[in-house]
Amino acid sequence: MTRLPRTIRLDASDAAIFERAAEPGEWAVPGAFMFVQADPALLKGKARQAFANGFLGTSSFGWSTLVAVGEADEAEAAAVAEALADRFVAEFGAPDRASALAAAREEVEFATGLCGHPVNTLLAVSREFGADGDIRESFRVIEPRTEKLHAPIWTIVPDQEEGH
């Protein structure tokens, strides 16, 4: 088994903030390659949101704000690379299938490297363009809240016997 990011939807916000939201449960990669040719000055609205904070679902090519670390068997991981390679050839002008598959395997390997956490750990990405035009990414673990959110309203006390 290998660990890969899997899209997760905690609420309906992804459907509102991205042009195309990933379906929950898709294997995902960071997807920065989608913006390599983008002009930062022209990147606006939903496309800007996908650039700034999105993981790319590998089935739908939709975006997800968060991913959870999941376990994939070798066949699933290979299928993710194959599907990405198909897209690289059909939509991104990869010169040949072998080059596309090598690039896709690199992307999957990078995604696997992000998943050195327990299964179901939530991850987020933040992206920006550097001064030189390069894309800079940072990834963080979303920690669950452990503090109490509210003070108790009342206290339960045991019944007292009559006369005491």
Side-chain angles (χ1 to χ4, degrees), residues 3-9 14 18 20-30 55-72 76-77 79-80 83-84 87 111 115:
R3 293 196 175 164
L4 279 174
R6 184 164 258 186
T7 60
I8 187 168
R9 195 178 298 172
D14 283 356
F18 299 127
R20 180 184 315 155
E23 292 299 317
E26 291 183 51
W27 296 117
V29 294
F55 283 91
L56 184 66
T58 58
S59 297
S60 68
F61 256 48
W63 297 95
S64 180
T65 302
L66 299 173
V67 292
V69 174
E71 287 188 329
E76 288 173 306
V80 169
L84 279 176
R87 294 273 189 149
C115 294

Side-chain angles (χ1 to χ4, degrees), residues 39-124:
D39 180 344
L42 300 177
L43 204 53
K44 306 271 187 235
K46 293 181 178 191
R48 180 73 180 178
Q49 185 65 31
F51 168 75
N53 302 106
F55 283 91
L56 184 66
T58 58
S59 297
S60 68
F61 256 48
W63 297 95
S64 180
T65 302
L66 299 173
V67 292
V69 174
E71 287 188 329
D73 62 32
E74 295 304 317
E76 288 173 306
V80 169
E82 294 285 339
L84 279 176
D86 290 343
R87 294 273 189 149
F88 290 168
V89 169
E91 298 173 29
F92 294 93
D96 55 58
R97 177 79 173 145
S99 299
L101 189 55
R105 286 179 177 149
E106 260 184 52
E107 188 74 11
V108 171
E109 186 176 316
F110 182 74
T112 298
L114 299 173
C115 294
H117 305 282
V119 171
N120 294 324
T121 300
L122 296 181
L123 305 174

